[in-house]
Amino acid sequence: MNSFGQRFKFTTFGESHGKALGCVVDGVPAGIKIDEVFIQDEMNRRKPGGKYATSRKESDSIEILSGVFEGYSTGTSICMILFNENQKSRDYDNVKDLFRPGHADFTYYNKYGIRDYRGGGRSSARETSARVAAGAIAKMLLKELDIKIQSGICAIKDISIPNEQLDFSNSTNSEVYSLNSSYDDKFKDAINKAREEHDSIGGIVALKASNVPIGLGEPIYYKLDAILSNAMMSINASKAVEIGDGINSVLENGSSNNDEITKDGFKSNHSGGILGGISNGDDINMKVYFKPTPSIFKSQDTIDIHDDELKCELKGRHDPCVATRGSVVAESMMALVLADMLLLNMSSKMSNIKKVYN
Ligand SMILES: Cc1cc2nc3c(=O)[nH]c(=O)nc-3n(C[C@H](O)[C@H](O)[C@H](O)COP(=O)(O)O)c2cc1C
């Protein structure tokens, strides 16, 4: 299952150490101005490098193969490709037959009976680069409607920025994508400490979509919150999702949890901008929880494909905290879901259909 979406639909292909990765985005309306520099900028936000991510060098330079003519989408499928360049497959020779604890090796091998052990193959988060390319196209559609998505890190392990102090303008200037500049150093120290201890660390991504129109989401089984959660949980290492106040809403009463309504809008936003699976016009607020990176440089017990017990000793280059780069992926998935919901919502009323055909 390598495709996602109903009307604005994308498929990704490729493996971590294969020749190339890419995506095909289908259902893109004709006439969207396609800004190739923006697509590359998005790729660069996700790509490895910097002091707080893996030192793997991936240029992630993206090429558009189809669906764009003279700078505009043509309404046909947009295919984009990035070639793998700096893959060090030898780093994985010693894990060829064994299952890395916390990674997908055990389940992929047992399910398929074959696995590309080089970098994890299809289970590697390298696949998320293709989603970011697809997400950039979705963002260009959203931009035409002034819908904006922002994201960043609101917690690393137990160091957490209070909700009222989240500053979504900070993450683009922060090496660790933090949502408050006064937390930058605390987050960096925690990531560095994990790396120095040959370990890894988890984190939480907060997301905000603003200027979202009322009406996005297709109850019952394609509710906006359900599909956003599906999208986020499809990202590697994501382990939980919250919409609005999320799990904290159980600590409230109806009187404090309800968002009272005035003719100028809602008085609060505990719901995260979604009611009954449909956007209510308020900001959509979400959180995505990422576990610590499975690949660590400590010796761990495991078994191999022959069921022999042995020690897993890893080499190679790995992110000490995947939540940081994961925030860009989560943002892309949110854009892809909203683009799909925008197109789906257009046929919800006869009056909309008449606007097109009368
Ligand atoms: C942006 C990003 C980068 C990642 N980089 C690594 C990595 O360098 N090493 C690693 O072991 N896992 C990495 N992961 C996580 C694994 O891909 C993931 O844990 C693995 O596929 C198992 O899936 P699961 O954790 O969802 O069960 C990364 C995840 C993301 C989102």
Side-chain angles (χ1 to χ4, degrees), residues 46 54 56 92 100-105 108 122-126 128 233-239 290-296 314 317-327 329:
R46 192 221 69 103
T54 165
R56 286 192 304 266
Y92 295 88
R100 290 168 298 167
H103 218 294
D105 306 341
Y108 265 61
R122 186 74 182 152
S123 75
S124 159
R126 181 113 180 90
T128 61
M233 290 300 293
S234 77
I235 303 172
N236 313 43
S238 72
K239 291 296 136 196
F290 286 89
K291 74 180 191 183
T293 320
S295 298
I296 53 172
L314 293 179
R317 302 158 292 171
H318 296 278
D319 287 275
C321 176
V322 300
T324 51
R325 296 199 295 128
S327 66
V329 183

Side-chain angles (χ1 to χ4, degrees), residues 197-335:
E197 290 169 353
H198 304 296
D199 218 328
S200 59
I201 194 167
I204 308 175
V205 168
L207 292 144
K208 178 170 94 166
S210 24
N211 205 28
V212 178
I214 301 173
L216 305 195
E218 302 296 316
I220 297 293
Y221 297 112
Y222 214 69
K223 287 180 177 174
L224 182 55
D225 39 3
I227 303 306
L228 280 171
S229 304
N230 181 345
M232 299 307 159
M233 290 300 293
S234 77
I235 303 172
N236 313 43
S238 72
K239 291 296 136 196
V241 169
E242 283 187 285
I243 310 276
D245 285 0
I247 54 171
N248 282 332
S249 59
V250 298
L251 305 174
E252 300 298 322
N253 291 109
S255 53
S256 54
N257 189 58
N258 291 343
D259 301 308
E260 291 185 73
I261 314 173
T262 72
K263 60 180 184 218
D264 297 323
F266 293 92
K267 283 192 190 172
S268 52
N269 188 8
H270 300 293
S271 72
I274 304 172
L275 292 168
I278 302 172
S279 60
N280 68 5
D282 225 330
D283 288 346
I284 296 180
N285 295 319
M286 286 188 78
K287 285 187 181 166
V288 186
Y289 291 62
F290 286 89
K291 74 180 191 183
T293 320
S295 298
I296 53 172
F297 300 102
K298 281 177 186 287
S299 179
Q300 298 175 93
D301 290 335
T302 190
I303 57 167
D304 65 12
I305 55 173
H306 312 293
D307 254 354
D308 291 327
E309 291 183 344
L310 67 166
K311 291 282 178 197
C312 176
E313 317 263 0
L314 293 179
K315 294 189 240 166
R317 302 158 292 171
H318 296 278
D319 287 275
C321 176
V322 300
T324 51
R325 296 199 295 128
S327 66
V328 185
V329 183
E331 217 181 275
S332 306
M333 290 307 289
M334 193 178 218

